[in-house]
Amino acid sequence: MSSHGQAAEGRSNGVVLRLDDVHTYYGAIHALKGISLEVREGEVVTLIGANGAGKSTTLRSINGLNTPRRGRITFEGRDITNAPAHEVVKLGISQAPEGRRLFPRMSVYENLEMGAFQRSDRHALKEDVDRVFGLFPRLAERKDQKAGTMSGGEQQMCAIGRALMARPRLLMLDEPSMGLAPIFVERIFEIVKEINEQGTTILLVEQNALMALDAANRGYVLETGQIALADEASALRENEQVRKAYLGET
């Protein structure tokens, strides 16, 4: 087991997030058809699957942007199934969304500040900005630059940094490697591991199944709104079905 795996293994095994039989719709479209999963404290858990499998919808169901019609979502033992998005952030879940969604005309520093807008401990913000700049030295160099003028990889770093500014106990990452050059993809995944080792539990949605399973402790494979497979990440990497469908092997 990697030191990363041991670090996560050594922490409490308490369940941070649980989804029980969650059904979510877009109008008449039944997008999630009974999703049940859990994320334990200290883990990196990944959701993999083809486009349209329901990965992002699962995150939207958790973060309050799509309320499930059936089923239950609990975070640290508290029912958040019908909680609005701002309440979910306040409780300790934050997300770096697919496509980054930065404020392009604001500086990097101002984007980071926006990540902390719900916090009352404004005096502690410098500590968190320093933490983000420690993880992403490139952002420190560009702190006064308009976020929209940076490269895709730098914008992704800023989006993850902004999510960390909320001091989440669960960080959700939606397609962090999408559209990035390979060198940035590797760096982003190194940082995902580093954030986890610093004590943040992570739920990761990712198209690059190989990188995701390398970074994760456990994984769930989604197919058309249902969980097709759930296992330790190392077992999923060796699973023939997964290798053929998601790792590009024949």
Side-chain angles (χ1 to χ4, degrees):
M1 187 185 282
S2 68
S3 61
H4 158 61
Q6 285 165 339
E9 198 69 27
R11 296 186 197 119
S12 155
N13 234 3
V15 175
V16 174
L17 178 77
R18 178 175 273 129
L19 277 67
D20 288 309
D21 192 31
V22 168
H23 292 256
T24 301
Y25 290 74
Y26 291 108
I29 298 165
H30 195 175
L32 298 186
K33 304 166 186 168
I35 296 283
S36 295
L37 60 83
E38 62 178 41
V39 180
R40 296 191 282 270
E41 190 180 339
E43 285 189 311
V44 177
V45 172
T46 188
L47 307 182
I48 61 173
N51 270 337
K55 305 184 302 294
S56 292
T57 307
T58 301
L59 296 191
R60 288 176 67 88
S61 300
I62 296 162
N63 70 19
L65 292 175
N66 269 75
T67 303
R69 281 197 207 166
R70 270 173 43 213
R72 189 163 183 255
I73 301 173
T74 52
F75 175 62
E76 296 182 334
R78 179 175 180 160
D79 190 332
I80 61 163
T81 316
N82 298 301
H86 66 274
E87 193 61 37
V88 171
V89 175
K90 230 176 222 174
L91 290 171
I93 299 176
S94 71
Q95 180 173 339
E98 183 183 341
R100 305 183 268 281
R101 311 259 175 90
L102 296 175
F103 299 99
R105 290 162 189 264
M106 292 168 74
S107 70
V108 166
Y109 189 83
E110 288 166 336
N111 268 276
L112 294 180
E113 281 190 317
M114 289 302 287
F117 80 98
Q118 290 220 58
R119 285 175 49 183
S120 51
D121 59 336
R122 308 299 292 178
H123 61 278
L125 292 195
K126 185 185 181 307
E127 189 185 320
D128 292 292
V129 170
D130 289 346
R131 177 194 178 197
V132 170
F133 287 163
L135 286 164
F136 303 107
R138 208 178 272 242
L139 293 184
E141 293 163 19
R142 288 164 169 64
K143 71 178 195 300
D144 299 320
Q145 189 173 330
K146 282 192 168 65
T149 64
M150 296 196 298
S151 73
E154 290 161 349
Q155 288 189 30
Q156 185 60 61
M157 291 174 174
C158 190
I160 295 173
R162 180 178 63 184
L164 286 173
M165 289 296 295
R167 283 203 177 171
R169 291 189 298 288
L170 174 66
L171 174 65
M172 302 200 299
L173 301 174
D174 194 357
E175 304 286 7
S177 79
M178 187 184 271
L180 301 191
I183 190 161
F184 267 119
V185 173
E186 284 188 21
R187 183 70 195 117
I188 290 291
F189 276 98
E190 282 168 15
I191 288 159
V192 167
K193 289 181 183 178
E194 208 173 317
I195 291 166
N196 177 244
E197 281 160 7
Q198 289 178 0
T200 305
T201 304
I202 296 173
L203 179 58
L204 168 68
V205 160
E206 179 53 60
Q207 282 270 248
N208 187 329
L210 191 59
M211 296 293 270
L213 291 171
D214 266 349
N217 302 95
R218 292 186 304 112
Y220 293 88
V221 179
L222 269 64
E223 283 176 10
T224 58
Q226 295 174 305
I227 288 169
L229 284 168
D231 211 333
E232 297 291 315
S234 53
L236 288 174
R237 279 197 63 181
E238 299 306 316
N239 181 299
E240 199 174 329
Q241 196 183 334
V242 173
R243 292 171 81 106
K244 281 183 178 166
Y246 306 109
L247 305 184
E249 295 183 14
T250 50

